[in-house]
Amino acid sequence: MRSSSYSQKTTSMNRSGRSGVRVQSPSATRYRSHSTESQIYYGSWGRAGGCLSRAIEAGTEIRTNEKEEMQQLNSFLAGYIDKVRGLEQRNSQLREELAGLRARFKVPQGMGDEYQQQFKELRELIERLTHEKGVAEIETGNTEEEIDSWRLKCQEQLDLKGKLTHPYLVDIS
C-alpha cells in the first residue's frame, strides 16, 4: 500500500493502439488544481479519449490509498502519544513516591553537625588512648626485660653464695 502511494504507473491506450506509461511522484504538483487531462499521456489525436475516466479513477484510487495510509499513520501516532502520556504519568507518580521516601527518611539539618562534632571528639579520644596503650606496652616490655635481668643476677648471686658456703658440693649440672 505504501509503495503505491509513492509511485504508481498508469497505462493508457489511445485510439491508434499505442500505449503510454505515466509515473506519478509524490510531488506537490499532483495536488494542485490542474485538470487531470494535463497529467495523461495523449495519443496522436491530441485528446485523452476514453483514458480520461480511467485516469480519474486512478487518481481517486491514489487519493484513497493515501488517505488510508494517513489514517493508519495517525492511529500509530495516537498510540505512541498515549504511550508517552502513560509514561509521563508513571514518571510523575514515581517522583512523588521518591519525594515521600526522602521526606520520611530525611535527617534534620542541625543533627548532622552535632554528630560530626561528637565523632571528631571520639576519634581524638581513640587516637590518644591508642597512643597511651602503645606507650604502656613499651614500658611493660622494658619492665619485663629488667625483671628478667634482675632475676638472672639474683640466681647468679645465690649460686655464688652456695658455692662459698658449701665448697665440698659439686655441681652436677
Side-chain angles (χ1 to χ4, degrees), residues 47-145:
R47 291 181 43 195
C51 295
L52 181 59
S53 63
R54 281 183 277 172
I56 291 172
E57 290 174 10
T60 306
E61 182 181 335
I62 291 171
R63 287 188 185 104
T64 304
N65 289 343
E66 288 175 351
K67 182 178 179 181
E68 290 173 359
E69 184 178 358
M70 290 301 290
Q71 288 173 346
Q72 185 180 16
L73 291 173
N74 281 341
S75 66
F76 286 145
L77 180 62
Y80 289 132
I81 290 172
D82 289 342
K83 284 182 184 179
V84 168
R85 285 182 182 155
L87 291 173
E88 287 174 346
Q89 184 179 11
R90 179 67 179 143
N91 194 13
S92 66
Q93 290 172 350
L94 290 173
R95 282 187 179 149
E96 290 173 6
E97 184 179 339
L98 179 63
L101 289 173
R102 283 183 177 166
R104 187 168 54 166
F105 294 110
K106 190 173 183 180
V107 177
Q109 292 293 334
M111 300 280 293
D113 295 335
E114 181 180 323
Y115 286 127
Q116 290 298 327
Q117 181 62 31
Q118 287 181 353
F119 285 144
K120 182 180 176 183
E121 291 172 3
L122 291 174
R123 282 188 199 111
E124 290 173 357
L125 177 64
I126 290 171
E127 288 178 17
R128 190 184 57 175
L129 291 175
T130 303
H131 177 69
E132 289 176 9
K133 179 184 173 189
V135 169
E137 287 176 349
I138 291 172
E139 288 178 4
T140 303
N142 291 340
T143 305
E144 287 176 356
E145 286 179 11

